[in-house]
Amino acid sequence: NSVANVCGTCHVFFAQLFEQSPHQAAFAKMGLPGCVQCHSNHEIVKPSDAWVGVGPNSVCVTCHAAGDPGYRGAQAIAEDISRLNLAITRANAILDDAERKGMEVSSAKLELTNAHEALIKARVNVHTFRDSEVQKVADPGMAIAKGANQAGVAALAELNFRRKGLGISLITILVAIAGLYLKIRQIESHQD
């Protein structure tokens, strides 16, 4: 318990979320220190998304078995975080592609930072151990990522439209030049 108290001196917000979570009472009843159960007390390991959920590296499955509410909650929380992370990655990739091709997407990239912030908040809200709290910040992040992705798609569509327009313009100009050339040749042949 003293280790958990030490953690809470720097990670105050995390400690407050944990104190309001259903795990706080359950851990106290079993005499388990809160932070240490998931984060260990001797290793300082950077947490990862793999810790949450029901996968092979998840710490949730050390206490929760398939079918119980905690297991389903952990699975839902992991899915929310994974879904948001994937949406941000995809939006970032399409915006980077559009930017490399010369399209202006800086406002969409700036907006995507709000989705990154939502992902960070969702990861923080894991400490509530409630999917509803994670989803509360993940869903707006998803909407932002979706909008950024659509901006990237629109930018690439605009690029294709411009390329087609440029191609048609070049063909029109070449036809006009060829027509002028032939007309000049025709005029010159009549003068001879």
Side-chain angles (χ1 to χ4, degrees):
N1 285 331
S2 63
V3 173
N5 291 336
V6 170
C7 298
T9 59
C10 293
H11 302 284
V12 176
F13 188 64
F14 295 98
Q16 289 171 348
L17 290 174
F18 177 77
E19 288 169 9
Q20 298 168 6
S21 78
H23 283 85
Q24 195 276 337
F27 285 9
K29 185 178 177 180
M30 293 185 282
L32 302 172
C35 304
V36 174
Q37 286 309 113
C38 298
H39 294 278
S40 181
N41 63 342
H42 293 293
E43 295 180 48
I44 300 175
V45 180
K46 183 179 179 185
S48 77
D49 292 342
W51 286 16
V52 180
V54 295
N57 297 324
S58 168
V59 295
C60 304
V61 294
T62 59
C63 298
H64 296 286
D68 76 31
Y71 186 93
R72 288 190 300 275
Q75 190 171 27
I77 289 170
E79 287 171 0
D80 287 340
I81 290 173
S82 177
R83 187 172 40 107
L84 178 54
N85 195 22
L86 182 61
I88 291 169
T89 300
R90 287 180 176 165
N92 205 37
I94 198 162
L95 290 173
D96 284 347
D97 186 35
E99 188 176 51
R100 273 191 308 276
K101 292 178 177 174
M103 300 305 292
E104 172 55 41
V105 292
S106 61
S107 62
K109 289 189 98 169
L110 182 61
E111 186 65 23
L112 192 58
T113 61
N114 293 327
H116 284 281
E117 288 177 21
L119 179 60
I120 291 167
K121 289 176 184 175
R123 288 173 173 153
V124 168
N125 276 5
V126 164
H127 294 88
T128 66
F129 301 97
R130 291 183 177 95
D131 178 46
S132 61
E133 293 298 315
V134 173
Q135 196 173 33
K136 197 183 292 184
V137 292
D139 285 349
M142 282 295 298
I144 293 166
K146 183 178 179 183
N149 191 68
Q150 289 171 343
V153 169
L156 291 174
E158 174 70 19
L159 175 66
N160 286 334
F161 177 77
R162 289 179 185 183
R163 285 179 176 171
K164 288 176 185 173
L166 180 61
I168 291 169
S169 298
L170 284 174
I171 290 170
T172 304
I173 291 168
L174 289 174
V175 168
I177 289 172
L180 286 172
Y181 176 76
L182 292 173
K183 188 63 177 174
I184 290 170
R185 295 276 303 189
Q186 182 183 29
I187 292 171
E188 286 176 350
S189 68
H190 286 309
Q191 288 178 353
D192 291 337

